Amino acid sequence: MPFSKPEVTSDVTSFDAPPSSQHPAMRHKSGLIGSINLGLTVLALLSSMTIVGTSAETLQVYNTTRLGNGHFLSIWPNEFDIRPTVALVTCGSIILVSSILSLVAARVPAIANKTLLSTSLSLLLPSISLVAALISTSFFYGVNASSTTFSLQSWTCQWANISMDVKPHWGTLCKESKVALYLSVMMIPLQLLVLGTVVVGFLGRVKGWVVGRKVEGDRKGSPALS
């Protein structure tokens, strides 16, 4: 009676590579970095809206209450530099638009799925916001260093304790000017953080792609067991 050779079964089980070329752990980390970037961008958007709103309000009050030169009872000084407030409105608007475009680029699949394009926009737009924040703050501190020329903030805060029944309300204008300035200063480290998350996220995606390709290569190169 012929003997049949017993079949040898292998205890080694095969594994499936990730469906994409990025390793799952790296993909999770990349998603976390993306969420942080999204949160910081939303914060920049809300802050820029506040900057534009408060500085535009103070500028509007100034334009409607100033009498111009030649009036003896003018409530605004002749030596007055409005450029810091104009810079806050302008640069705040630039940051606002850049933040909106950043959010659109992050949520539109046609852009987000193209790593080179999305990364380029993610670096460019916060860089524009960073430059705008630096310009707006430099205008203020440049004018504020003068001992003879007043800015809208320095003049209104000088009279902030005086109660007014009609415009201009010095205390309100002082607070609005400070809020716009402080948010502009805060925007500098905020945009640096946004840029940092973009760089870290890009490096994470590259590393995840390399690890994913290595896993797929190991699977394809391993001998098939039957």
Side-chain angles (χ1 to χ4, degrees):
M1 180 177 180
F3 293 95
S4 60
K5 184 178 179 180
E7 294 184 358
V8 178
T9 59
S10 174
D11 293 333
V12 180
T13 58
S14 61
F15 63 94
D16 294 329
S20 67
S21 60
Q22 192 179 42
H23 195 269
M26 297 299 177
R27 194 184 308 119
H28 173 73
K29 183 178 180 181
S30 178
L32 178 61
I33 296 297
S35 299
I36 295 175
N37 178 274
L38 179 63
L40 293 175
T41 304
V42 171
L43 178 59
L45 173 63
L46 297 177
S47 299
S48 62
M49 292 174 62
T50 305
I51 292 172
V52 174
T54 53
S55 55
E57 168 68 14
T58 57
L59 188 60
Q60 188 269 337
V61 171
Y62 167 75
N63 288 329
T64 55
T65 56
R66 71 185 181 94
L67 299 176
N69 296 331
H71 292 80
F72 295 104
L73 298 178
S74 177
I75 58 178
W76 300 99
N78 292 329
E79 296 296 330
F80 193 77
D81 197 335
I82 201 67
R83 289 181 301 169
T85 305
V86 175
L88 286 173
V89 175
T90 304
C91 295
S93 300
I94 293 174
I95 297 172
L96 176 61
V97 173
S98 297
S99 299
I100 293 175
L101 292 178
S102 295
L103 293 175
V104 171
R107 307 307 295 179
V108 175
I111 300 177
N113 293 336
K114 297 180 180 179
T115 303
L116 182 60
L117 177 60
S118 62
T119 303
S120 299
L121 290 176
S122 298
L123 289 172
L124 175 63
L125 295 173
S127 298
I128 294 175
S129 298
L130 177 61
V131 172
L134 289 171
I135 291 175
S136 63
T137 53
S138 63
F139 261 106
F140 169 79
Y141 288 109
V143 173
N144 197 52
S146 174
S147 58
T148 58
T149 303
F150 286 96
S151 66
L152 199 150
Q153 179 179 333
S154 61
W155 181 257
T156 56
C157 292
Q158 178 177 326
W159 307 105
N161 293 328
I162 298 179
S163 178
M164 298 280 289
D165 295 330
V166 295
K167 292 183 178 181
H169 302 286
W170 301 119
T172 301
L173 293 178
C174 176
K175 292 177 182 178
E176 289 178 341
S177 299
K178 285 184 176 181
V179 167
L181 174 64
Y182 295 159
L183 287 178
S184 295
V185 174
M186 182 204 71
M187 196 66 67
I188 297 174
L190 179 60
Q191 295 301 330
L192 289 175
L193 287 175
V194 172
L195 289 171
T197 58
V198 173
V199 173
V200 172
F202 176 73
L203 294 177
R205 286 195 297 270
V206 172
K207 184 177 180 180
W209 181 83
V210 172
V211 172
R213 296 290 293 180
K214 184 177 183 300
V215 170
E216 290 182 0
D218 292 342
R219 183 183 66 84
K220 293 178 180 179
S222 61
L225 298 176
S226 58

